[in-house]
Amino acid sequence: GLPASASWQDLKDHMRSCGGTVTFAQVFRDHNGILGVVDYATEDDMKTAMRKLDDTEFKNPFDRSYIRLKADNAKRDGSRSRSRSRSRSRSPKRDRKRSPSSSRSRSRS
């Protein structure tokens, strides 16, 4: 999952690495572990992130893991959709949402 040391800044940096405009990022814990939610400026940005960043390595200075993205199609504020990303740990030897339309994606561990 997302590492316990993950910050919203780490998540925002990772999720904008595909070139999309991230307008919001949040990291929090729930019963499934560490989650992240990211909003994108456009739905196209979200879709690009979903395509390019699903199952990629999330790294910060303290830890790393692989994330899985999941779209959340709920509209927010009339123009935003949400996507979620779930992360999972993977062995280091294999190198490999709220991500929305002003969209949101969540990262789950």
Side-chain angles (χ1 to χ4, degrees), residues 12-54:
K12 184 175 183 179
D13 289 345
H14 181 78
M15 297 304 287
R16 69 179 175 192
S17 66
C18 68
T21 301
V22 175
T23 60
F24 175 84
Q26 181 180 16
V27 173
F28 57 95
R29 180 181 303 273
D30 78 356
H31 65 281
N32 291 320
I34 307 296
L35 305 178
V37 178
V38 178
D39 284 352
Y40 283 94
T42 68
E43 189 168 359
D44 285 343
D45 285 351
M46 178 193 71
K47 288 177 180 177
T48 299
M50 297 287 293
R51 188 176 67 254
K52 291 185 175 181
L53 297 176
D54 186 35

Side-chain angles (χ1 to χ4, degrees), residues 16-106:
R16 69 179 175 192
S17 66
C18 68
T21 301
V22 175
T23 60
F24 175 84
Q26 181 180 16
V27 173
F28 57 95
R29 180 181 303 273
D30 78 356
H31 65 281
N32 291 320
I34 307 296
L35 305 178
V37 178
V38 178
D39 284 352
Y40 283 94
T42 68
E43 189 168 359
D44 285 343
D45 285 351
M46 178 193 71
K47 288 177 180 177
T48 299
M50 297 287 293
R51 188 176 67 254
K52 291 185 175 181
L53 297 176
D54 186 35
D55 203 23
T56 58
E57 186 178 42
F58 174 92
K59 294 189 279 189
N60 70 15
F62 309 104
D63 220 341
R64 67 184 190 177
S65 63
Y66 283 81
I67 60 170
R68 296 305 313 248
L69 304 179
K70 179 181 176 187
D72 181 349
N73 295 322
K75 295 289 183 184
R76 302 274 180 205
D77 301 334
S79 65
R80 300 198 297 186
S81 63
R82 177 180 285 179
S83 69
R84 300 175 182 187
S85 59
R86 295 182 181 202
S87 63
R88 59 187 167 82
S89 297
R90 194 184 295 157
S91 117
K93 67 181 179 179
R94 180 176 174 190
D95 288 335
R96 265 264 359 144
K97 290 192 3 95
R98 308 188 216 187
S99 170
S101 144
S102 187
S103 308
R104 295 189 171 193
S105 66
R106 292 187 179 180

